[in-house]
Amino acid sequence: MNDRHYLLKVMGLSALPRLVTFGLKLVSFPLMVRGLGATQFGVVVYITAVALVLESFVDFGVSSAAGKEVAVARETSSVPVRLVIQKWARLQAAVAFIGLLPLLSITYLVATAGSQIEFTLAVLIILVLASWVAICLNFVRACLSSVLAFTLLGALDCFESLLRAAGWLAVAYYCPTTLGFAVTSLITVACASVLGIAVLGRFLSKNKLIAATSKAGLGVSDSPLHIRYMLKESLSFLWLRLVTRLFQAVPIVLFGRMFGSEIVGVVGAFARIIELIGFPFAVIGNALAVRAPGVLATGTRAVTALWDAVSRFVAVSVMLCVSLYLGRNLMAKVLLPESPRAGMFLAILSFTVITSAISSVVAPMSDYVGALRARNMLLTFSTFVQAVIIWLGAHFFGPVGAISAYVISLTLMNFGYVRIALRVFFPSASYQLRSELSYFLIITMAALLMTFVLHWVLGLDRLTSFHSFGGEVVDILVF
């Protein structure tokens, strides 16, 4: 793919197919959550959080390490790309099958030990199987992204999105239970995995980029196709995947044990909304990650241009954050009408839009250029600190304090991500934020202040009832 307008092409190929299904998912997800309710959805989020932590061991970091090695092989042409994918696929299949039974048994033990959340064994087994099958889908996605097959990746995402949205509608109208949600999740990920394998296999059979200029040294222990090297790289990404999943799961587990499944449902529902509206950041992050090694080798000027682009994308997330904050009660009424405190919790969680954007855009590209170890260490430290902060917040201020502590820990961790990435990309220089970005942030804050002023002057709280939420719609439009 030509470097000119690279991100625009990636967004066109990857995002446009998903825009076709975006509206459907944005409608079907709230309907599904309303059908299940915060308590039942909290059960799903709780079990999934536990399963995903343990699934990290079963994946063993192979999918992420394979994505990195395929990208390097494509950039350097030192090793046949087809051979790299085949070798890593065999390793992924081996570790996945070895870990299936331990994954099922340990998830059951952890999820039931001292928990206040009630669920059936069938729901747990099906949700665990869904997370296990997703290992295959993650591997396929990593490979397609690393060979720049964004058209095929977009088509695969579009298929999965349509199937998932259909499943959510089925749950909302025909089987609004945790078992119904679990079954539709397993069907979705299984069908998408089968299609992904077929798409990747066809791509490899038709494309000739697979050839390498040299096959020298493939048998030595430090070659990218030697099992010792592959396991070493996988362990590095296993560390990253494990601490990432732990960082995500610790709040869910703590909320579930201290406050029950309703709070877990609110946090999980908003996290899913962030995932839906923030998919462009994920697309951009993956696109930048697979090109980061080449950009870094080009020189400081190219790296500066890269960070200028990154800064613009992150700045856009500030607008999304404020918009969600202003519409917090409206969103709570649509998603979780039976949870009276949902609006207050969503107001606090709205700040995670910015942290999610940073994690999606900055973190992946730094991993591909030598920052993986430093980010692993930061994330490990942040996981333990987060647990302490959340416990303290919950102890002194209840659910509001716990959720606020969760947001604070996310903010501190992502600040560390940015510092680590800047040190790797600018080892002997410093990055200067462009002046127009500073102006943009100032204007955004000024617009928010004016929105509050006009809200008070117009007396929107008095003119609209609680259930109409007309004032929040006006606030968003004014902003």
Side-chain angles (χ1 to χ4, degrees):
M1 182 178 291
N2 192 292
D3 285 342
R4 185 170 177 82
H5 304 311
Y6 168 67
L7 282 178
L8 287 176
K9 294 176 182 177
V10 170
M11 289 299 294
L13 295 173
S14 297
L16 288 180
R18 293 183 64 174
L19 285 175
V20 176
T21 61
F22 176 73
L24 180 59
K25 290 177 70 174
L26 205 58
V27 172
S28 61
F29 178 74
L31 290 173
M32 182 271 294
V33 173
R34 284 173 65 96
L36 286 179
T39 301
Q40 287 199 91
F41 188 67
V43 172
V44 172
V45 173
Y46 182 83
I47 297 176
T48 303
V50 175
L52 287 178
V53 171
L54 298 172
E55 179 264 333
S56 302
F57 293 101
V58 182
D59 176 272
F60 206 70
V62 173
S63 58
S64 299
K68 175 189 173 184
E69 293 303 318
V70 171
V72 171
R74 191 207 71 249
E75 288 282 344
T76 62
S77 298
S78 57
V79 184
V81 175
R82 181 200 299 271
L83 188 57
V84 172
I85 293 177
Q86 290 173 346
K87 286 279 189 178
W88 283 96
R90 294 191 189 103
L91 178 61
Q92 181 73 91
V95 298
F97 279 103
I98 290 172
L100 176 57
L101 288 179
L103 175 63
L104 284 167
S105 56
I106 298 176
T107 300
Y108 175 78
L109 293 175
V110 174
T112 55
S115 174
Q116 302 180 25
I117 297 180
E118 298 180 358
F119 54 86
T120 63
L121 181 61
V123 170
L124 183 139
I125 291 175
I126 296 172
L127 287 175
V128 171
L129 286 176
S131 66
W132 181 75
V133 174
I135 294 173
C136 172
L137 188 58
N138 293 335
F139 181 87
V140 170
R141 280 203 175 102
C143 292
L144 289 175
S145 180
S146 294
V147 296
L148 308 184
F150 293 112
T151 302
L152 296 177
L153 182 60
L156 177 62
D157 287 344
C158 185
F159 172 80
E160 186 196 9
S161 297
L162 284 171
L163 202 57
R164 191 174 301 280
W168 286 343
L169 289 174
V171 171
Y173 290 106
Y174 299 105
C175 49
T177 64
T178 52
L179 181 61
F181 180 90
V183 170
T184 57
S185 297
L186 179 58
I187 292 174
T188 297
V189 73
C191 293
S193 297
V194 171
L195 178 62
I197 293 173
V199 167
L200 181 60
R202 184 172 179 81
F203 177 85
L204 295 177
S205 65
K206 293 184 66 175
N207 280 268
K208 303 303 179 183
L209 61 71
I210 320 303
T213 57
S214 172
K215 298 183 182 181
L218 294 184
V220 299
S221 61
D222 62 344
S223 89
L225 298 183
H226 193 279
I227 187 64
R228 182 181 302 174
Y229 177 89
M230 294 167 69
L231 290 175
K232 180 181 177 182
E233 286 296 297
S234 296
L235 282 171
S236 296
F237 280 96
L238 168 61
W239 184 8
L240 172 64
R241 182 182 291 266
L242 177 61
V243 293
T244 299
R245 295 282 174 80
L246 278 172
F247 188 86
Q248 295 169 345
V250 164
I252 298 299
V253 173
L254 289 177
F255 294 155
R257 291 179 181 271
M258 292 186 294
F259 307 115
S261 58
E262 182 181 358
I263 302 299
V264 174
V266 173
V267 175
F270 188 78
R272 191 69 180 183
I273 289 293
I274 295 298
E275 181 182 337
L276 287 175
I277 66 176
F279 80 87
F281 298 111
V283 171
I284 291 165
N286 290 331
L288 293 179
V290 297
R291 300 303 300 271
V295 172
L296 187 60
T298 305
T300 305
R301 184 174 180 180
V303 172
T304 301
L306 171 66
W307 274 87
D308 288 343
V310 168
S311 301
R312 296 187 189 101
F313 294 127
V314 174
V316 171
S317 69
V318 177
M319 294 181 62
L320 290 174
C321 168
V322 175
S323 298
L324 289 178
Y325 173 80
L326 294 174
R328 58 196 180 276
N329 290 318
L330 176 60
M331 184 165 48
K333 187 64 177 178
V334 172
L335 281 176
L336 304 163
E338 298 179 358
S339 299
R341 297 182 294 175
M344 177 176 55
F345 296 147
L346 295 183
I348 303 170
L349 291 168
S350 62
F351 294 96
T352 61
V353 177
I354 302 174
T355 60
S356 176
I358 295 174
S359 295
S360 298
V361 178
V362 175
M365 69 178 189
S366 64
D367 292 341
Y368 278 51
V369 293
L372 180 58
R373 179 178 175 81
R375 194 159 81 88
N376 281 341
M377 295 176 66
L378 171 65
L379 194 51
T380 303
F381 175 76
S382 300
T383 300
F384 291 104
V385 172
Q386 174 188 238
V388 175
I389 294 176
I390 290 176
W391 184 86
L392 290 174
H395 180 73
F396 290 104
F397 303 102
V400 173
I403 294 178
S404 299
Y406 167 62
V407 174
I408 291 172
S409 64
L410 281 174
T411 303
L412 294 175
M413 185 192 67
N414 279 275
F415 178 76
Y417 280 175
V418 174
R419 291 291 301 273
I420 290 172
L422 286 173
R423 283 203 301 265
V424 173
F425 279 97
F426 299 93
S428 58
S430 60
Y431 173 69
Q432 299 295 326
L433 192 69
R434 293 177 66 93
S435 58
E436 61 265 27
L437 291 171
S438 301
Y439 299 151
F440 173 82
L441 295 176
I442 293 172
I443 291 171
T444 301
M445 294 300 102
L448 177 59
L449 179 60
M450 290 185 63
T451 302
F452 288 147
V453 171
L454 288 175
H455 183 99
W456 177 75
V457 170
L458 296 176
L460 295 179
D461 289 330
R462 298 187 299 272
L463 294 176
T464 57
S465 68
F466 178 79
H467 295 287
S468 68
F469 299 102
E472 292 199 357
V473 174
V474 173
D475 284 342
I476 295 173
L477 291 175
V478 169
F479 171 72

